[in-house]
Amino acid sequence: MKYTGNLLKMSTKVDEGVEYSLKIGEDIININSLLGKNISINFLNTINCIACGKRTKTSFSQGFCYKCYQTLPQTDSGVLRPETDFSHLGISRDMNWSEKHSLIPHIVYLAYSGNVKIGVTRHNQIPTRWIDQGASSAIILAETPNRHIAGAIEVYMKKYFSDKTKWQEMLKLGNTCCQMLESEKLKASRLLHNELKQYISQDNTVYRFNYPLENTPEKLKSKNLDKEKEISGILTGVKGQYLILDNEIVVNIRRHSGYLIELTIN
């Protein structure tokens, strides 16, 4: 069976475990159902911007052409570094966009993906953000009225917690959860600057996620379509936005957003 279209990041939902789907052209493919099957991803030498559709030689910021990367609000610095979002002061590439995405409640969280990390996301991106990062467990640290304040908390807490996900450690972790997130939240709450403590959340729920993994990989080899036009193997796992083939080959689907591919399933 073959499907042709431009890649976008995998969609997710949580039932008993994390369920993945991938839209290729007009088809939506249940990725969980492909575990144990041989798949082949063939790059057709075309990249289209995920915003304007224009053909581009290079993809910027996971799927944009250079013009969109330079002008769109979703590629502004405040997206990557929330503390630099100043839309609350009326400074934005597009205030209409900011009112829907920045000037809304945000969550500061602790997530476990091999190490305990600090992060920020919009309130309506829970639990999607955690799953996209491959977090095995997560807890809400603070709730803020806008993105800038959430970013200020994150910057302060980076003195004590990493803000990076190490993808190899995350994948080798399998579905192992952190058993100490509540105590880590308590630690973070005590360390937080007094002016920011008003935003600490009283919700101490620890969210846990089980990913479709046949095995926990021991060795990992990352491949991308810029260097290899065809990547194939038996699908043995999915975690974060990564496909794991033959229990060792790793493909970051989100990194290839906009790439025109042919997906073959045997």
Side-chain angles (χ1 to χ4, degrees):
M1 192 171 296
K2 294 186 178 182
Y3 303 89
T4 302
N6 294 91
L7 282 174
L8 294 172
K9 81 171 189 122
M10 292 181 284
S11 299
T12 60
K13 66 177 183 178
V14 180
D15 193 359
E16 293 182 0
V18 180
E19 297 184 8
Y20 286 89
S21 60
L22 180 64
K23 189 174 187 296
I24 301 288
E26 298 301 317
D27 298 295
I28 297 177
I29 303 162
N30 183 310
I31 299 297
N32 293 49
S33 68
L34 302 184
L35 282 176
K37 295 183 179 180
N38 191 287
I39 67 172
S40 176
I41 303 171
N42 183 24
F43 179 38
L44 301 181
N45 298 312
T46 296
I47 305 173
N48 297 100
C49 175
I50 61 174
C52 70
K54 178 182 176 181
R55 185 167 179 170
T56 176
K57 290 184 178 180
T58 304
S59 173
F60 297 88
S61 190
Q62 298 178 331
F64 297 92
C65 67
Y66 186 71
K67 180 179 179 181
C68 288
Y69 170 68
Q70 288 289 307
T71 59
L72 291 181
Q74 55 265 49
T75 58
D76 202 357
S77 63
V79 174
L80 183 62
R81 293 180 287 119
E83 73 277 9
T84 66
D85 185 300
F86 296 110
S87 55
H88 62 295
L89 300 178
I91 302 171
S92 171
R93 286 181 177 179
D94 184 335
M95 280 304 300
N96 288 329
W97 187 91
S98 292
E99 287 173 0
K100 296 176 181 178
H101 297 87
S102 298
L103 301 178
I104 61 173
H106 275 64
I107 299 295
V108 186
Y109 61 84
L110 297 175
Y112 182 66
S113 51
N115 63 314
V116 177
K117 71 176 292 288
I118 190 82
V120 167
T121 191
R122 301 189 300 273
H123 74 103
N124 53 14
Q125 285 297 297
I126 296 298
T128 301
R129 178 62 173 167
W130 297 333
I131 294 171
D132 284 348
Q133 292 184 335
S136 297
S137 50
I139 192 170
I140 295 172
L141 172 62
E143 300 178 58
T144 68
N146 60 50
R147 188 167 184 82
H148 177 78
I149 296 174
I153 294 174
E154 181 186 39
V155 168
Y156 188 85
M157 295 311 301
K158 281 196 287 188
K159 293 184 289 185
Y160 311 102
F161 298 93
S162 171
D163 66 331
K164 305 297 182 184
T165 298
K166 297 178 181 179
W167 67 268
Q168 289 182 314
E169 292 183 15
M170 177 269 289
L171 292 173
K172 290 179 180 180
L173 181 70
N175 282 318
T176 303
C177 295
C178 177
Q179 304 301 319
M180 301 181 295
L181 277 185
E182 287 185 81
S183 61
E184 290 293 303
K185 175 179 176 177
L186 181 60
K187 168 187 169 183
S189 300
R190 289 170 176 169
L191 292 169
L192 192 59
H193 192 282
N194 287 335
E195 292 183 7
L196 299 172
K197 286 186 177 181
Q198 61 181 302
Y199 300 108
I200 293 173
S201 172
Q202 299 306 306
D203 182 357
N204 292 317
T205 304
V206 176
Y207 299 84
R208 294 179 172 85
F209 306 101
N210 287 308
Y211 296 90
L213 299 167
E214 289 191 341
N215 299 289
T216 301
E218 297 180 0
K219 296 181 180 180
L220 295 169
K221 181 180 180 180
S222 178
K223 291 190 176 184
N224 68 74
L225 295 171
D226 294 313
K227 295 181 179 179
E228 300 187 42
K229 301 303 180 184
E230 184 175 353
I231 302 172
S232 61
I234 295 173
L235 183 66
T236 53
V238 193
K239 191 177 183 186
Q241 283 290 320
Y242 294 86
L243 299 182
I244 305 171
L245 306 177
D246 297 334
N247 211 41
E248 63 175 5
I249 298 170
V250 178
V251 185
N252 184 341
I253 294 298
R254 190 169 192 175
R255 179 200 180 283
H256 295 95
S257 294
Y259 284 58
L260 182 65
I261 61 103
E262 180 181 73
L263 176 67
T264 304
I265 302 168
N266 294 317

